[in-house]
């Protein structure tokens, strides 16, 4: 198989969001609402259990019935995304009700995200070899500033974001749009992601798919390098 383009998922593939405790600590400090360390740890555990951090752990507690439809459609629009995640967050009592929106705003900041250690190396090598690079993400906000802040934007030829198209992975239309914008066909495009359901949708279109593990950045120093091995076989 000869690849002419590679598509990447965002969260858990190229970047990892900060952990829930760091996320909460940063927002509380900025808002001037300090908690004791035990209180902070307990609130962070509660927020993680309800799945309030976009890009973080999925909910381990059931999504409330009143939020279920919104949760299923969360990546189809910016308003739906914010409402879904702040709705989950509001299940946890915080010192100020305004902190729930502040938490949501924090996860959109470049400072909340870190690229995986090999991301720049792999993206740069792909562009040097003449392959098109795209990002296909289920998301409710513009992630381009994250790529710019961390120096990865020059390697990316197109961003196809679910909220900008009103559909979410595994809908094949997102992958088809990315291929078209890169000037590739599904048959010569590789999709790299961490979600076998969402990212695996590219296979239905005819793309090859490579899965990586959604791990902390320190625990996955070279998970993207197999991409270069696949490209080297062309």
């Amino acid at each position: 198989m000869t690849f002419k383009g590679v598509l990447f998922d965002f969260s858990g593939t190229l970047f990892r969001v900060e952990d829930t405790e760091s996320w909460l600590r940063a927002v509380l400090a900025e808002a001037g609402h300090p908690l004791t360390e035990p209180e902070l740890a307990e609130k962070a555990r509660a927020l993680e259990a309800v799945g309030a951090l976009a890009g973080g752990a999925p909910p381990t507690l059931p999504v409330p019935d009143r939020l279920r439809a919104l949760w299923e459609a969360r990546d189809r629009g910016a308003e739906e995304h914010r409402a879904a995640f702040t709705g989950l967050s509001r299940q946890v009592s915080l010192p100020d009700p305004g902190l729930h929106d502040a938490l949501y705003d924090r996860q959109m900041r470049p400072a909340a995200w870190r690229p995986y250690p090999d991301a720049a190396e792999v993206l740069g090598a792909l562009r040097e070899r003449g392959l098109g690079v795209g990002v296909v993400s289920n998301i409710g906000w513009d992630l381009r500033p994250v790529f710019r802040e961390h120096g990865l934007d020059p390697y990316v030829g197109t961003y196809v974001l679910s909220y900008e198209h009103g559909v979410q992975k595994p809908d094949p239309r997102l992958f088809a749009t990315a291929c078209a914008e890169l000037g590739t066909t599904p048959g010569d495009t590789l999709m790299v992601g961490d979600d076998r359901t969402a990212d695996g949708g590219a296979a239905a279109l005819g793309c090859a798919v490579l899965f990586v593990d959604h791990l902390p950045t320190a625990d996955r120093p070279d998970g993207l390098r197999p991409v270069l091995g696949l490209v080297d076989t062309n």
Side-chain angles (χ1 to χ4, degrees), residues 82-159:
R82 176 181 284 273
F85 281 100
T86 57
L88 293 180
S89 175
R90 287 189 176 96
Q91 297 177 89
V92 180
S93 175
L94 295 175
D96 181 339
L99 289 170
H100 298 287
D101 278 306
L103 284 169
Y104 183 84
D105 292 339
R106 166 75 186 179
Q107 57 85 33
M108 294 190 289
R109 295 184 188 178
W113 295 87
R114 291 289 179 270
Y116 280 92
D118 55 347
E121 170 197 343
V122 170
L123 294 182
L126 292 173
R127 290 305 298 264
E128 286 176 5
R129 297 174 196 188
L131 279 80
V133 173
V135 173
V136 183
S137 178
N138 277 353
I139 198 164
W141 48 273
D142 186 5
L143 53 73
R144 295 172 184 87
V146 176
F147 280 76
R148 288 196 292 268
E149 180 71 20
H150 291 282
L152 300 188
D153 181 65
Y155 305 127
V156 181
T158 188
Y159 297 90

Side-chain angles (χ1 to χ4, degrees), residues 206-221:
C207 299
V209 182
L210 175 68
F211 294 108
V212 295
D213 294 322
H214 188 144
L215 295 170
T217 53
D219 296 339
R220 211 196 76 194

Side-chain angles (χ1 to χ4, degrees), residues 165-190:
H165 295 269
V167 293
Q168 59 194 44
K169 297 183 290 186
D171 192 309
R173 287 176 287 178
L174 285 181
F175 306 108
T177 297
C179 289
E181 292 186 1
L182 288 182
T184 64
T185 67
D188 56 32
T189 304
L190 173 67

